[in-house]
Amino acid sequence: MNEALNIAGQTLVLHRHPRRRNETLQAWDSADEYLINYFNENELDKYITEDEQLLILNDGFGALSCFFNEIERTVVSDSFLSISSIKLNLQRNRCETERIIIQDSLQEMTNNVKVVLIKVPKTLAFLEYQLQELSKVINKDTIVVAAGKVDAIHKSTLALFEKYIGTTKTSLAKKKSRLIFSLVDQTEIIEKEIATTWEIERQGWKIHNHANVFSRNHLDIGGRYLMDNLPEGNFIKVIDLGCGNGVVGMAAAEAYPDAQITFIDESYMAVDSARINMLKNFEEERSDNTRFVVNNGLVGFKERSYDLILCNPPFHQQHTITDHIAWAMFNDAHFCLAVNGELVIVGNRHLDYQDKLERIFGNCELVAENKKFVILRAVKMQ
């Protein structure tokens, strides 16, 4: 796996974080290269005056943040893992931290923007949210350039740029990526609520979902299956790992009224959605017995400290399908569970999580199954 990006006169050493042994995926893609080369060849830096800056949205692992080290810039991401990667790669390449501000996607965008570089996100609703927020801080002189894989740029993608920014066109494809150019000429933008709210009738819960939350328009069927198969027991310290909008942790709060529930996700929008949903649907006394953490899984959590961990693990990172996040979650769970503590997960039948859990825990029980999902239980033995 290549760790050195040689581009436009710079050599950057870049890693994905968390780092893995025998990593097969590099920390940048052809869309990063396309954006960097376009910016450099067209000398976009000359348009950025002393009191203006570059805005970078959705830098995956730091290629853009590191390359533009000489420019005042703000970098926005909804991913804890991306932000961690950016910070570590800035250190690795000895970049000056005085010229960069890194913020999560729920913070207000800076309003002194001259050039905007966007990596097109996987979720269309999240793109719409970002473009709507961007439209509030740009003007007719702002340069907006986006990039993404060809198969991730659709008519609906371009329609959002037209709606919130202005006249939009695309480049030719290079190495399976394409640029999007938007001229800022849209003046009649009617702001809309991008977040969604829907009800889980059985519990009578109103569920709030920010734009970048998985299954934002309805209850995820895997999550529902896990909610219906919670283990019986007197659990006191419970984690909803990869919580999304928090519905599994909420079901745990209902099933185990004395438990302390910790909601964890690497998405800032997901954790904030879980926080909002606990506040909206539970009495204040119950919501006070909860914690909300944006984190890389259970990194930094205490060993042998939890009774039950519930998990609906993701099998992709950004646009890449991978099982290493699930592996990390299962290993973290084994570390953090007390003796006789339980990990209960839901997964698609074809993902073979049972073998992974057997290897980590030394045991794995099939709790329930249907045509699409399995519920698996592993116990920390020592």
Side-chain angles (χ1 to χ4, degrees):
M1 190 275 300
N2 188 16
E3 297 177 349
L5 171 60
N6 296 294
I7 189 168
Q10 289 193 41
T11 298
L12 301 171
V13 178
L14 301 169
H15 295 291
R16 288 173 172 248
H17 291 275
R19 293 186 68 180
R20 298 185 291 162
R21 292 181 181 178
N22 304 316
E23 178 65 77
T24 59
L25 301 171
Q26 66 184 24
W28 70 92
D29 60 19
S30 57
D32 291 309
E33 296 178 30
Y34 212 162
L35 277 174
I36 289 171
N37 284 326
Y38 179 83
F39 186 103
N40 195 58
E41 291 165 4
N42 291 274
E43 299 180 334
L44 297 189
D45 56 322
K46 68 184 180 184
Y47 297 101
I48 304 174
T49 64
E50 187 175 341
D51 59 346
E52 295 172 322
Q53 63 176 290
L54 169 66
L55 176 63
I56 301 171
L57 303 183
N58 313 319
D59 189 4
F61 299 98
L64 301 175
S65 302
C66 292
F67 181 85
F68 296 107
N69 182 48
E70 300 297 321
I71 301 173
E72 297 285 342
R73 61 212 185 280
T74 294
V75 179
V76 180
S77 175
D78 189 52
S79 166
F80 180 91
L81 291 176
S82 289
I83 289 177
S84 298
S85 295
I86 291 167
K87 290 178 178 178
L88 289 166
N89 281 319
L90 287 170
Q91 293 176 10
R92 181 170 290 112
N93 291 279
R94 299 181 180 179
C95 297
E96 297 180 15
T97 57
E98 293 80 7
R99 290 197 178 100
I100 188 168
I101 296 172
I102 302 173
Q103 62 186 52
D104 68 70
S105 57
L106 291 171
Q107 296 175 264
E108 289 188 7
M109 290 185 184
T110 183
N111 60 7
N112 60 338
V113 180
K114 186 60 180 182
V115 178
V116 184
L117 300 181
I118 305 172
K119 289 289 294 296
V120 175
K122 182 177 180 179
T123 306
L124 197 63
F126 183 46
L127 175 63
E128 182 170 15
Y129 168 83
Q130 288 190 310
L131 293 179
Q132 180 170 272
E133 293 302 300
L134 181 61
S135 70
K136 302 173 185 177
V137 299
I138 58 177
N139 57 52
K140 63 181 179 61
D141 296 320
T142 308
I143 299 168
V144 179
V145 186
K149 292 292 187 180
V150 170
D151 58 6
I153 298 175
H154 310 287
K155 288 183 179 180
S156 55
T157 310
L158 302 178
L160 289 178
F161 280 90
E162 290 271 359
K163 177 179 179 180
Y164 289 102
I165 309 300
T167 304
T168 295
K169 62 180 182 179
T170 62
S171 71
L172 296 174
K174 288 185 180 180
K175 297 169 68 173
K176 298 183 180 180
S177 289
R178 193 184 300 278
L179 295 179
I180 300 171
F181 309 102
S182 285
L183 179 66
V184 183
D185 59 12
Q186 180 57 267
T187 58
E188 298 182 5
I189 298 171
I190 300 175
E191 187 171 353
K192 63 176 285 190
E193 179 58 66
I194 309 295
T196 58
T197 302
W198 40 267
E199 184 175 356
I200 301 179
E201 293 184 3
R202 188 185 307 178
Q203 284 87 358
W205 295 339
K206 297 286 186 181
I207 302 300
H208 171 95
N209 296 265
H210 283 305
N212 198 35
V213 180
F214 174 69
S215 194
R216 61 187 299 271
N217 293 312
H218 54 81
L219 179 58
D220 167 46
I221 56 176
R224 164 57 78 191
Y225 200 43
L226 182 53
M227 292 167 67
D228 289 342
N229 287 279
L230 295 180
E232 296 182 1
N234 184 28
F235 301 103
I236 300 302
K237 297 187 73 175
V238 178
I239 291 176
D240 181 358
L241 180 58
C243 65
N245 58 26
V247 292
V248 171
M250 292 166 65
E254 189 173 69
Y256 319 121
D258 296 325
Q260 301 169 5
I261 313 292
T262 300
F263 297 81
I264 302 171
D265 204 289
E266 74 100 24
S267 161
Y268 292 86
M269 283 191 165
V271 171
D272 195 59
S273 293
R275 179 190 63 81
I276 291 170
N277 289 329
M278 280 298 297
L279 288 173
K280 288 172 62 175
N281 294 288
F282 284 79
E283 297 293 334
E284 185 175 348
E285 299 78 27
R286 188 67 190 84
S287 59
D288 285 345
N289 204 21
T290 54
R291 188 161 64 122
F292 304 91
V293 183
V294 183
N295 198 50
N296 171 22
L298 297 169
V299 173
F301 279 65
K302 291 182 179 179
E303 184 178 11
R304 301 185 180 214
S305 300
Y306 294 88
D307 306 313
L308 174 65
I309 297 176
L310 304 167
C311 185
N312 182 1
F315 50 90
H316 56 80
Q317 184 177 24
Q318 298 176 25
H319 294 280
T320 304
I321 295 174
T322 175
D323 68 349
H324 80 272
I325 296 177
W327 265 112
M329 285 178 160
F330 300 161
N331 279 293
D332 288 352
H334 185 265
F335 178 81
C336 292
L337 283 169
V339 174
N340 296 321
E342 301 180 18
L343 170 65
V344 179
I345 73 162
V346 61
N348 292 77
R349 297 177 65 94
H350 70 275
L351 293 174
D352 196 26
Y353 287 151
Q354 190 157 356
D355 178 64
K356 293 179 173 61
L357 294 175
E358 286 275 5
R359 292 169 65 180
I360 296 169
F361 284 80
N363 66 88
C364 182
E365 174 192 357
L366 176 64
V367 175
E369 61 180 329
N370 60 25
K371 291 181 179 180
K372 188 169 184 179
F373 297 105
V374 292
I375 303 291
L376 303 174
R377 172 180 175 266
V379 179
K380 173 79 167 281
M381 303 306 293
Q382 58 181 0

